[in-house]
Amino acid sequence: MEEYLEAGFPKLVLLFVAIIISLIAIRLTYVFLRSGKPFVVPPERVSTMIVLGSGGHTAEMLSIVNVLNKERFSPRFYVSAATDNMSLQKAQVLEQSLLHQGKGNAEAAQFMQIYRSREVGQSYITSVGTSLIAIAHAIWFILKIRPQVIICNGPGTCIPLCVAAFMFKAAGLRWSSIFYIESIARVRKLSLSGLLLYKLHLTDQFVVQWPQLQSKYPRSQYVGRIM
Amino acid sequence: MDSGKSKKMVFVTVGTTCFDALVKAVDSPHVRHELWSKGYTHLVIQMGRGSHFPSKFSGEDGSLAVDYFTFSPSIADYLKSASLIISHAGSGSIFETLRLGKPLIVVVNEDLMDNHQRELAEELADKKHLFCASPQTLHQIINGMDLDSLVPYPPGDSVPVAKLINRFFGFPDN
């Protein structure tokens, strides 16, 4: 009996590991195939995370939010980098103006800041450590908010959030649809964030603002310029 | 004093960045001379976080009046009252200026590590919406620029992106 156990135990472990790996592979294949497919039954409303990237990125994002239907994309969670003091103010101004127009309600919008993976000019080596902190913070955000939609447009702030959301998606805890809209500043080449999300197939829809970029990245969509 | 000149202001903006090469360029006698000979009377420089402080001139001796500040919450007012804008290549400044329909020279910061901003400035310059320069070539660009050659920028529209998102969820298009 003991001999049987000694001989059989590693085999059992191997079999177990093999089953787990296969299950994960099947699940990931399903998630990748299902991502990017439109909804068959429209949801009534979707909780929406809007990632504000600072400066021109924020301006582009808020112009999109401005034309979204506020009843359907509700509640809205605005996230900016912890070092960015301007973006959330601008989002608050937008939400205030919606309130005045009678299009919003006070509970529909929340504003929060997240640690950033990499500051402008920070070295790529030290950004490994800061990225880990940013991912932990992002997991906490996704756990707390459990958004059905994430709309983002770079720079790096959105990467940990998209990765965390994808982990939740793969684990079957929350299905988030991720929309990435590459900045208008990218004419010939994708940004690092855009390239990462595109290559890893993490987005449901990937939008670019120049036709020459669309022809280079065939899975992307071009629907004109935002700005 | 040249009383025949009506006030024409040039506004230089570096946004929230530090772009001393641009501030130094507009502070140079070359550039001041070119601006004056093109009929501009005032130069206002928003110098941001830079450490190069340009020289101030009152303009009372019949030359270009020069003033500067670091930051201002009313950049929009300067853009509106300017006849020419010289800007860093940030997309925020570029599109704010183009929306106002003002002539724009974008100066690309060649010291930036990942200089993708050049792409946008060059693309828009190819389409004749603006002029593109480097700190070194700025005076030549001012000398050679023909404002009548500029083509108005057609404003973008975020509705198609919203429609794309709506269609994904099966929402109607409004």
Side-chain angles (χ1 to χ4, degrees):
Chain A
M1 185 67 186
E2 268 179 25
E3 271 171 30
Y4 172 76
L5 264 183
E6 272 168 31
F9 187 67
K11 272 189 193 162
L12 268 177
V13 170
L14 271 179
L15 183 70
F16 190 66
V17 169
I19 289 171
I20 295 287
I21 289 175
S22 320
L23 286 176
I24 291 175
I26 291 167
R27 173 68 190 170
L28 283 179
T29 312
Y30 169 75
V31 170
F32 278 124
L33 288 176
R34 175 68 185 77
S35 289
K37 298 270 188 306
F39 280 54
V40 181
V41 182
E44 195 183 327
R45 60 182 63 215
V46 283
S47 62
T48 307
M49 179 184 268
I50 298 148
V51 190
L52 302 173
S54 84
H57 293 280
T58 297
E60 290 181 38
M61 185 54 73
L62 292 181
S63 83
I64 296 171
V65 174
N66 196 32
V67 295
L68 285 178
N69 184 305
K70 305 303 176 300
E71 312 250 293
R72 295 197 187 93
F73 294 91
S74 167
R76 293 175 294 284
F77 301 89
Y78 293 89
V79 183
S80 83
T83 48
D84 174 8
N85 299 317
M86 292 298 296
S87 292
L88 288 185
Q89 277 180 32
K90 287 178 184 157
Q92 275 158 346
V93 170
L94 173 68
E95 286 289 339
Q96 282 296 326
S97 76
L98 289 174
L99 272 182
H100 288 304
Q101 295 164 40
K103 283 188 194 165
N105 62 66
E107 299 87 55
Q110 286 188 44
F111 307 89
M112 41 197 62
Q113 291 185 303
I114 189 166
Y115 286 110
R116 207 170 152 173
S117 338
R118 187 174 161 269
E119 292 301 329
V120 174
Q122 187 187 337
S123 81
Y124 285 101
I125 298 169
T126 57
S127 65
V128 173
T130 46
S131 291
L132 288 176
I133 299 172
I135 287 175
H137 201 195
I139 291 172
W140 168 241
F141 268 39
I142 299 291
L143 186 72
K144 209 167 62 169
I145 297 169
R146 307 209 315 138
Q148 289 161 286
V149 193
I150 299 178
I151 310 176
C152 55
N153 64 348
T157 320
C158 69
I159 297 288
L161 287 166
C162 291
V163 170
F166 187 82
M167 282 159 54
F168 275 69
K169 207 170 178 174
L173 294 172
R174 178 54 133 188
W175 192 274
S176 312
S177 303
I178 302 176
F179 295 85
Y180 182 86
I181 297 103
E182 184 62 286
S183 156
I184 192 164
R186 304 300 176 148
V187 182
R188 294 189 288 263
K189 274 165 63 188
L190 290 180
S191 65
L192 184 59
S193 313
L195 191 68
L196 263 172
L197 293 177
Y198 185 88
K199 291 282 181 201
L200 295 174
H201 291 69
L202 289 190
T203 60
D204 289 77
Q205 305 268 292
F206 193 99
V207 178
V208 295
Q209 298 191 51
W210 294 96
Q212 53 267 54
L213 209 49
Q214 200 282 324
S215 52
K216 225 165 145 183
Y217 298 94
R219 281 189 285 116
S220 69
Q221 311 214 34
Y222 167 71
V223 286
R225 288 174 287 103
I226 296 172
M227 298 307 278
Chain B
M1 190 172 161
D2 192 348
S3 54
K5 275 192 166 180
S6 55
K7 184 178 175 179
K8 278 178 83 181
M9 193 255 278
V10 180
F11 181 56
V12 178
T13 176
V14 307
T16 52
T17 65
C18 165
F19 191 1
D20 274 343
L22 172 57
V23 179
K24 277 181 191 158
V26 292
D27 188 34
S28 74
H30 278 321
V31 169
R32 285 205 304 268
H33 170 77
E34 294 297 351
L35 288 175
W36 179 253
S37 55
K38 283 272 175 181
Y40 298 101
T41 56
H42 291 71
L43 173 63
V44 178
I45 304 164
Q46 183 263 319
M47 58 168 283
R49 292 192 287 113
S51 54
H52 179 85
F53 291 87
S55 5
K56 286 193 182 192
F57 295 95
S58 67
E60 279 165 3
D61 54 347
S63 65
L64 189 71
V66 183
D67 200 1
Y68 68 84
F69 58 88
T70 53
F71 292 102
S72 162
S74 58
I75 292 282
D77 297 337
Y78 285 99
L79 293 175
K80 276 178 203 143
S81 52
S83 306
L84 170 70
I85 288 127
I86 301 176
S87 169
H88 75 119
S91 68
S93 304
I94 291 181
F95 290 108
E96 199 173 348
T97 308
L98 291 180
R99 266 198 298 275
L100 290 170
K102 299 276 177 158
L104 169 65
I105 303 176
V106 168
V107 181
V108 176
N109 188 350
E110 290 163 327
D111 299 332
L112 289 180
M113 212 165 57
D114 165 28
N115 199 355
H116 70 270
Q117 293 188 325
R118 171 183 294 277
E119 275 183 35
L120 178 64
E122 283 177 352
E123 182 69 25
L124 295 171
D126 282 350
K127 293 188 156 58
K128 305 240 178 271
H129 299 310
L130 49 79
F131 300 105
C132 183
S134 71
Q136 290 76 31
T137 61
L138 181 60
H139 68 281
Q140 293 162 1
I141 297 291
I142 296 168
N143 179 281
M145 72 181 179
D146 171 15
L147 297 187
D148 294 331
S149 72
L150 288 175
V151 177
Y153 179 78
D157 185 7
S158 35
V159 170
V161 175
K163 278 187 178 169
L164 184 114
I165 299 174
N166 278 330
R167 238 168 271 151
F168 187 87
F169 291 107
F171 291 156
D173 266 353
N174 58 25

